[in-house]
């Protein structure tokens, strides 16, 4: 056996691992990270630029259900996270900064209906969430 | 493929599939005809990753195409961003700000380093040196952290290098962090340079590509330099600020898998040198042309055609773009380096090698199935 390996071995034994134990600690995510969208309906002017620039056509401008029509009469973006490629062009083009990408990376789900982000969080598939 | 199989005439001849579901082949297969332990003939089996980029690009505006161009090659999206952005810049006559040019070069070179680290990793894996694979992917993560900090995505920068410049400026601490990562890369290069008898035995005199054959088969990039020809688009036709930077082009004469592996390590060193120089010279100012600061919906691409070529990690990449005056290009032709590396060259090199050397030859070519199928 070659003894040249010993210093390296000792160093490796005493050094910390390259990885972290995930649920207990995690690597900090930088501010620019492009994760889940945050949408502010009260700021939105319904210009539809986000739907037009989206390369994957993941954003669709829809009308809200009847009970919200009085307060929000225009069309608002419905985001399909399944189609989204998280490029952040909608964030860049929005004139009112009402769409922005957050640092939330935990997007995997067992429920397909949660993949679609309605303009108001209380709407789910056109019906109110119970 | 199955119909093509013929019953073996002799007891020693048989067909052997290397991929597409082989852990060491990517989304690409090679059908080998084998006699005993020697490969008699090889037939590439591409098409598992075809996504039709050239057609997709005809329906999208340049900024959307910049996002799309990430996906051309998974292992080096920033380099492909740069080729696409340059093609649009030249077609539209955009003046790119100085700072953006430097940032483009820094990002492209960092992308080249991480791509070469993957090359080192998969080549080690192919030759049975598992430690090299784990080491390489561990060190590559430092660069991915940098990309996450600067572009917002670990692997896909989402068109960070876009027509007119780059989408965002460096954050304040980026310069210091890049220098720290470069120190780590120097460590990785040192580990890669270490003499490894097992790897030498597996790669020396394996898959020898003679210069004459290399030129005949249309080889470019590190593979051609491994065969003894001094070519590099960064030197011949300098784009961005490469003419102001001092770097060398490593060349090896032998043309075997070991020569190509040495080229990879040397090129990483040169890229570290380039990034350091570019960081020192980095000027202040805008990072994107003023009219393109906000992404635009309607472009007016002037009529014309353009052919732009770049040196990416795998070889020579080029984009031929034709416009007829609309806001989307009329035709885009993508010339990737790997189509020629993976079909004619691989078939040529695999003839007559031992079955155990197939992964060594395969991975020494620095290939990417995504770029070949497009």
């Amino acid at each position: 056996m070659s003894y040249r390996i010993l210093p390296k071995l000792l160093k490796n034994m005493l050094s910390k691992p390259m990885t972290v134990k995930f649920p207990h600690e995690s690597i900090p995510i930088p501010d620019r990270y492009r994760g889940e969208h945050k949408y502010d309906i009260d700021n939105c002017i319904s210009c539809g630029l986000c739907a037009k620039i989206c390369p994957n056509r993941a954003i669709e401008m829809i009308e809200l259900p009847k009970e919200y029509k009085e307060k929000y009469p225009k069309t608002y973006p419905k985001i399909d996270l399944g189609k989204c490629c998280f490029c952040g062009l909608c964030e860049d083009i929005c004139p009112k900064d009402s769409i922005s990408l957050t640092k939330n990376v935990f997007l995997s789900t067992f429920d397909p209906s949660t993949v679609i982000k309605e303009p108001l969080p209380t709407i789910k598939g056109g019906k109110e969430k119970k | 493929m199955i119909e093509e199989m013929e019953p073996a005439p002799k007891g020693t001849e048989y067909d052997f599939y290397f991929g597409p579901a082989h852990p060491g082949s990517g989304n690409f297969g090679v059908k080998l005809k084998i006699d005993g332990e020697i490969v008699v003939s090889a037939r590439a089996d591409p098409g598992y990753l075809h996504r039709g980029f050239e057609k997709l690009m005809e329906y999208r505006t340049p900024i959307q195409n910049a996002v799309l161009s990430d996906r051309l090659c998974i292992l080096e999206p920033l380099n492909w961003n740069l080729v696409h952005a340059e093609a649009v810049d030249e077609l539209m006559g955009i003046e790119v700000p100085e700072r953006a040019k430097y940032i483009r070069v820094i990002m492209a070179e960092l992308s080249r380093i991480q791509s070469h680290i993957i090359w080192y990793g998969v080549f080690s894996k192919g030759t049975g040196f598992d430690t090299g694979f784990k080491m390489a992917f561990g060190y590559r993560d430092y660069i991915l952290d940098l990309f996450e900090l600067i572009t917002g995505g670990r692997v896909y920068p989402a068109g960070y290098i876009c027509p007119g410049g780059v989408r965002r400026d460096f954050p304040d601490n980026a310069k210091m962090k890049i220098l720290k990562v470069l120190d780590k890369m120097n460590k990785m290069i040192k580990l890669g340079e270490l003499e490894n008898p097992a790897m030498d035995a597996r790669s020396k005199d394996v898959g020898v590509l003679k210069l004459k054959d290399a030129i005949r088969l249309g080889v470019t990039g590190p593979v051609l330099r491994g065969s003894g020809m001094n070519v590099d688009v960064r030197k011949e036709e300098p784009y961005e600020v490469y003419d102001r930077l001092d770097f060398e082009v490593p060349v090896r004469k032998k043309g075997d898998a070991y020569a190509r592996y040495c080229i990879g390590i040397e090129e990483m060193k040169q890229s570290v040198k380039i990034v350091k120089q570019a960081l020192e010279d980095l000027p202040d100012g805008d990072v994107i042309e003023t009219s393109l600061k906000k992404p635009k919906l309607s472009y007016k691409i002037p009529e014309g055609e353009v052919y732009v070529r770049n040196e990416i990690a795998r070889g020579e990449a080029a984009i031929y773009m034709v416009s007829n005056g609309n806001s989307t290009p009329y035709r885009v032709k993508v010339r990737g380096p790997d189509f020629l590396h993976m079909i004619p060259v691989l078939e040529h090199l695999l003839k007559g090698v031992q079955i155990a050397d197939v992964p060594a030859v395969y991975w020494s070519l620095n290939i990417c199935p995504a770029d070949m199928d497009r």
Side-chain angles (χ1 to χ4, degrees):
Chain A
M1 190 193 134
S2 161
Y3 289 99
R4 281 185 304 170
I5 204 171
L6 273 176
K8 198 88 193 164
L9 199 69
L10 280 172
K11 204 179 150 199
N12 271 351
M13 270 170 72
L14 298 172
S15 62
K16 279 206 307 195
M18 264 173 148
T19 47
V20 294
K21 286 177 182 162
F22 167 60
H24 311 293
E25 49 180 323
S26 60
I27 302 166
I29 296 170
D31 292 337
R32 283 189 185 177
Y33 192 84
R34 304 184 306 269
E36 194 192 354
H37 305 68
K38 194 177 97 200
Y39 173 60
D40 181 6
I41 192 165
D42 295 318
N43 226 349
C44 181
I45 54 166
S46 303
C47 60
L49 285 176
C50 50
K52 279 178 196 151
I53 197 128
C54 183
N56 291 0
R57 291 169 207 168
I59 300 179
E60 190 189 343
M61 300 300 282
I62 56 155
E63 286 185 2
L64 298 188
K66 268 180 207 156
E67 53 264 45
Y68 300 100
K69 269 249 159 131
E70 213 165 277
K71 199 175 173 198
Y72 303 111
K74 295 176 189 166
T75 53
Y76 300 95
K78 182 178 90 174
I79 304 164
D80 188 343
L81 294 179
K83 285 183 187 171
C84 179
C85 69
F86 299 95
C87 59
L89 286 178
C90 49
E91 183 188 13
D92 284 3
I93 203 168
C94 186
K96 289 280 172 187
D97 291 338
S98 76
I99 284 191
S100 57
L101 299 187
T102 60
K103 290 200 269 179
N104 182 18
V105 294
F106 302 104
L107 292 169
S108 51
T109 173
F110 286 107
D111 182 5
S113 66
T114 55
V115 169
I116 291 168
K117 264 179 88 86
E118 299 282 347
L120 275 173
T122 46
I123 311 171
K124 200 180 178 188
K127 284 173 198 163
E128 205 167 311
K129 213 192 257 174
K130 278 171 192 167
Chain B
M1 271 328 232
I2 288 165
E3 297 92 65
E4 285 178 27
M5 284 181 75
E6 294 155 12
K10 275 196 290 175
T12 53
E13 269 185 22
Y14 57 98
D15 282 359
F16 182 82
Y17 287 85
F18 182 76
H22 188 275
S25 75
N27 307 46
F28 175 79
V30 192
K31 189 184 149 197
L32 306 166
K33 262 198 178 16
I34 288 175
D35 186 5
E37 263 196 57
I38 306 291
V39 178
V40 180
S41 70
R43 179 88 190 275
D45 180 17
Y48 292 94
L49 216 57
H50 177 66
R51 290 148 294 166
F53 278 109
E54 292 176 6
K55 201 72 192 163
L56 286 173
M57 282 186 169
E58 289 170 18
Y59 293 93
R60 283 164 169 77
T61 56
I63 184 73
Q64 292 174 328
N65 277 339
V67 175
L68 192 65
S69 67
D70 291 358
R71 260 75 175 173
L72 272 166
C73 179
I74 300 152
L75 307 179
E76 42 176 351
L78 277 157
N79 295 61
W80 276 105
N81 271 185
L82 183 55
V83 191
H84 173 264
E86 277 184 359
V88 178
D89 286 346
E90 203 174 318
L91 204 52
M92 291 176 68
I94 301 170
E95 226 6 73
V96 181
E98 277 296 287
R99 186 176 170 83
K101 281 184 182 173
Y102 275 90
I103 293 180
R104 279 174 169 194
V105 167
I106 291 168
M107 297 308 280
E109 288 305 317
L110 284 173
S111 185
R112 188 189 312 275
I113 297 174
Q114 64 92 20
S115 174
H116 277 327
I117 289 179
I118 297 176
W119 183 16
Y120 173 80
V122 289
F123 182 64
S124 307
K125 183 102 176 158
T127 50
F129 177 46
D130 247 16
T131 315
F133 174 76
K134 286 178 181 129
M135 198 169 74
F137 276 73
Y139 276 100
R140 177 191 176 229
D141 240 54
Y142 291 117
I143 295 194
L144 295 191
D145 285 345
L146 264 186
F147 288 169
E148 196 182 20
L149 179 83
I150 295 165
T151 71
R154 290 179 74 76
V155 177
Y156 291 123
Y160 179 75
I161 299 175
C162 65
V166 292
R167 272 177 70 181
R168 278 158 208 207
D169 201 353
F170 274 167
D172 298 334
N173 54 353
K175 206 167 165 179
M176 187 194 71
K177 286 208 170 168
I178 292 175
L179 285 172
K180 261 187 193 171
V181 169
L182 289 183
D183 285 344
K184 293 240 161 71
M185 288 311 116
N186 282 331
K187 263 187 206 168
M188 166 71 213
I189 293 165
K190 254 182 206 161
L191 289 170
E193 273 179 331
L194 285 182
E195 204 179 327
N196 181 350
M199 202 141 146
D200 287 5
R202 290 294 305 271
S203 59
K204 273 185 183 164
D205 297 322
V206 168
V208 179
L209 182 63
K210 283 179 187 134
L211 183 57
K212 216 173 92 190
D213 291 329
I215 294 167
R216 179 172 59 87
L217 296 168
V219 177
T220 50
V223 183
L224 186 53
R225 292 196 281 276
S227 292
M229 192 160 171
N230 189 349
V231 282
D232 194 318
V233 183
R234 291 174 295 174
K235 285 274 187 204
E236 289 166 9
E237 216 177 272
Y239 49 95
E240 303 301 333
V241 291
Y242 279 111
D243 46 348
R244 295 174 218 168
L245 302 168
D246 171 39
F247 65 98
E248 284 156 30
V249 181
V251 180
R252 286 275 190 290
K253 285 252 158 64
K254 230 174 164 194
D256 57 353
Y258 185 73
R260 293 194 278 276
Y261 154 79
C262 291
I263 295 270
I265 299 283
E266 292 270 317
E267 273 189 17
M268 277 199 267
K269 264 192 214 168
Q270 297 301 327
S271 290
V272 169
K273 206 168 137 189
I274 292 173
V275 175
K276 273 188 182 158
Q277 286 175 48
L279 272 178
E280 265 176 30
D281 303 348
L282 190 66
D284 290 332
D286 271 350
V287 292
I288 189 159
E289 216 234 353
T290 23
S291 67
L292 293 167
K293 250 180 192 159
K294 275 225 162 207
K296 280 204 299 188
L297 273 177
S298 60
Y299 283 78
K300 184 91 181 109
I301 311 178
E303 245 176 89
E305 57 182 56
V306 67
Y307 184 83
V308 168
R309 62 192 191 122
N310 270 12
E311 183 79 20
I312 66 170
R314 269 139 245 286
E316 193 178 310
I319 280 189
Y320 173 63
M321 198 180 269
V322 184
S323 165
N324 57 357
N326 290 339
S327 62
T328 55
Y330 173 74
R331 171 87 170 92
V332 181
K333 165 82 183 109
V334 181
R335 189 254 185 238
D338 284 325
F339 184 80
L340 295 165
H341 289 181
M342 289 179 81
I343 299 172
V345 176
L346 191 67
E347 284 176 359
H348 170 77
L349 285 184
L350 285 182
K351 249 176 240 168
V353 301
Q354 290 218 351
I355 194 167
D357 287 335
V358 172
V361 174
Y362 185 82
W363 287 117
S364 73
L365 292 171
N366 193 6
I367 49 182
C368 171
D371 167 23
M372 180 207 54
D373 278 336
R374 289 199 289 282

